[in-house]
């Protein structure tokens, strides 16, 4: 699939997204600048659309970077402990800094996500048998341990409901003034694009990178920092979004191969398309009610993941 087709599909889904909701808005209302319709668009629909696109792009590129650095197609922020570490960071901020604003919570979540990701990469470097399945299993085990710690302290401080509300992937609460942090992901995507060649070399191993004169640790730290910050931004803004960083890079690699620089733009577009489609589906299945994005993405993502597994076995 060519990039221009992905771009056209993204534009079509974006237009559809703007006109789906409990309040019916027609094109005529917009052309006439009808007051209530314009307020709905500016305060709710457009912020929701922008957050969907930015979150989809950011999480899919994060998965692409993780898979490249680990040289494993089953690694992503959700299978490397990044998201669960960000969750622990949110819990820490709720306990220690209950009156902190969203920016402070995001920074704390980023620090925890970065620490969890670096721990995963450290463990990965110590493992001699880097089996395709063992590596993500280790990440899932680490994520479960971190998640268990979060659950323990959430029960201990009676913050289970608060933590669950932060982590439930849901774009219905996105309005003007509650999504702008996601704009930070745009320069992060540009930085990721700038470092694509370095990430490719680093993914070939520390010794190979050293022979080519690349500072392996520095490049890996930059990549992991980008992944951790994007993950923290998305979790703070809309919650946990499963499978996105796992299945989208794999789907793109089927059509475009494994060239990171060539894949990064299609991966970003496909991630935004997938998240937009999932959100639209969740808004129309039981209209006028909504299904949380984490549920629709989880179902569609698991189906795609099974397809990828069966395709790999053949």
């Amino acid at each position: 699939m060519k990039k221009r087709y992905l771009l056209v599909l993204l534009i079509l889904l974006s237009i559809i997204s703007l006109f789906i909701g409990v309040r019916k808005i027609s094109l005529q209302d917009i052309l006439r600048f009808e007051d209530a319709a314009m307020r709905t668009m500016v305060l709710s629909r457009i912020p929701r659309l922008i957050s969907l696109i930015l979150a989809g792009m950011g999480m899919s590129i994060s998965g692409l970077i993780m898979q490249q650095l680990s040289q494993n197609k089953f690694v992503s922020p959700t299978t490397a402990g990044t998201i669960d570490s960000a969750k622990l960071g949110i819990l820490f901020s709720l306990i220690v800094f209950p009156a902190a604003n969203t920016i402070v919570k995001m920074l704390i979540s980023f620090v925890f996500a970065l620490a969890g990701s670096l721990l995963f990469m450290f463990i990965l470097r110590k493992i001699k048998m880097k089996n395709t399945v063992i590596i993500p299993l280790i990440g899932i085990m680490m994520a479960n341990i971190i998640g268990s710690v979060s659950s323990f302290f959430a029960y201990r401080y009676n913050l289970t409901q608060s933590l669950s509300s932060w982590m439930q992937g849901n774009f219905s609460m996105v309005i003007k003034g509650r999504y702008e942090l996601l704009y930070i992901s745009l320069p992060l995507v540009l930085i990721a694009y700038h470092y694509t060649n370095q990430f490719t070399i680093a993914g070939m191993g520390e010794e190979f990178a050293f022979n080519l004169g690349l500072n392996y640790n520095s490049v890996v730290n930059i990549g992991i920092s980008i992944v951790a910050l994007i993950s923290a931004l998305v979790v703070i803004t809309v919650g946990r979004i499963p499978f996105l960083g796992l299945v989208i890079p794999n789907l793109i690699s089927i059509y475009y191969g494994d060239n990171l620089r060539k894949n990064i733009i299609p991966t970003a577009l496909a991630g935004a398309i997938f998240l937009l489609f999932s959100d639209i589906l969740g808004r129309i299945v039981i209209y006028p009610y909504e299904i949380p994005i984490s549920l629709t993405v989880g179902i569609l993502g698991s189906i795609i993941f099974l397809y990828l597994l069966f395709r790999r076995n053949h």
Side-chain angles (χ1 to χ4, degrees):
M1 184 178 290
K2 295 183 178 180
K3 295 176 186 177
R4 63 173 176 268
Y5 296 150
L6 291 173
L7 185 59
V8 169
L9 184 56
L10 177 61
I11 293 172
L12 289 175
L13 288 175
S14 298
I15 295 171
I16 293 171
S17 177
L18 288 174
F19 291 93
I20 291 180
V22 176
R23 177 181 173 79
K24 292 184 178 180
I25 299 175
S26 66
L27 183 59
Q28 289 76 12
D29 294 333
I30 301 299
L31 294 176
R32 291 198 304 264
F33 293 96
E34 199 269 324
D35 189 53
M38 293 304 295
R39 281 202 306 271
T40 302
M41 278 288 180
V42 172
L43 297 178
S44 177
R45 301 283 176 85
I46 293 176
R48 181 172 186 152
L49 173 63
I50 293 173
S51 62
L52 280 162
I53 292 174
L54 293 178
M57 287 182 172
M59 291 305 297
S60 57
I61 288 177
S62 295
L64 181 65
I65 294 172
M66 290 290 286
Q67 290 173 16
Q68 183 65 42
L69 293 178
S70 64
Q71 282 295 289
N72 190 293
K73 292 293 185 181
F74 295 139
V75 171
S76 72
T78 51
T79 59
T82 306
I83 299 297
D84 287 272
S85 298
K87 174 183 174 182
L88 183 59
I90 293 174
L91 178 62
F92 179 84
S93 65
L94 291 173
I95 295 172
V96 180
F97 306 105
N101 58 29
T102 305
I103 295 177
V104 174
K105 287 184 172 66
M106 184 274 293
L107 291 174
I108 295 173
S109 179
F110 161 65
V111 171
F112 275 76
L114 179 61
S117 302
L118 290 174
L119 177 61
F120 172 77
M121 294 301 294
F122 175 78
I123 295 173
L124 184 62
R125 291 172 65 180
K126 297 297 181 181
I127 296 173
K128 294 182 180 180
M129 188 178 68
K130 296 184 179 180
N131 185 276
T132 304
V133 177
I134 288 178
I135 291 174
L137 280 178
I138 290 172
I140 293 171
M141 289 168 60
M142 191 183 83
N144 286 335
I145 293 171
I146 296 171
S148 299
V149 172
S150 299
S151 298
F152 172 79
F153 284 104
Y155 280 112
R156 175 68 177 78
Y157 290 95
N158 197 26
L159 290 170
T160 306
Q161 282 190 321
S162 297
L163 188 61
S164 297
S165 65
W166 276 99
M167 295 304 296
Q168 184 182 23
N170 195 346
F171 285 86
S172 63
M173 300 301 293
V174 172
I175 58 174
K176 185 178 180 181
R178 296 189 57 179
Y179 78 101
E180 284 79 3
L181 278 175
L182 282 174
Y183 281 120
I184 300 174
S185 63
L186 286 175
L188 294 175
V189 169
L190 294 176
I191 294 171
Y193 182 81
H194 174 74
Y195 277 92
T196 48
N197 291 333
Q198 288 92 324
F199 292 153
T200 299
I201 296 172
M204 296 178 181
E206 184 174 2
E207 185 177 343
F208 185 87
F210 177 79
N211 290 334
L212 291 179
L214 184 73
N215 189 329
Y216 175 83
N217 290 326
S218 176
V219 171
V220 169
N221 289 339
I222 290 171
I224 295 300
S225 297
I226 292 171
V227 171
L229 185 50
I230 290 176
S231 299
L233 289 167
V234 172
V235 168
I236 283 289
T237 307
V238 296
R240 183 190 188 103
I241 303 176
F243 284 108
L244 187 59
L246 178 62
V247 299
I248 297 302
N250 278 283
L251 283 176
I252 292 300
S253 67
I254 292 174
Y255 292 98
Y256 289 90
D258 293 322
N259 187 316
L260 187 62
R261 181 172 286 270
K262 184 179 178 182
N263 286 4
I264 193 166
I265 293 177
T267 298
L269 293 174
I273 289 168
F274 180 71
L275 203 58
L276 264 173
F277 176 79
S278 300
D279 182 66
I280 292 170
L281 184 64
R283 291 156 76 179
I284 63 176
V285 168
I286 55 173
Y287 182 86
Y289 306 102
E290 285 190 29
I291 298 174
I293 191 78
S294 56
L295 181 59
T296 53
V297 170
I299 293 172
L300 295 175
S302 60
I303 293 172
I304 296 173
F305 183 63
L306 288 173
Y307 161 74
L308 292 171
L309 285 177
F310 286 125
R311 189 180 187 279
R312 189 181 184 90
N313 290 332
H314 287 82

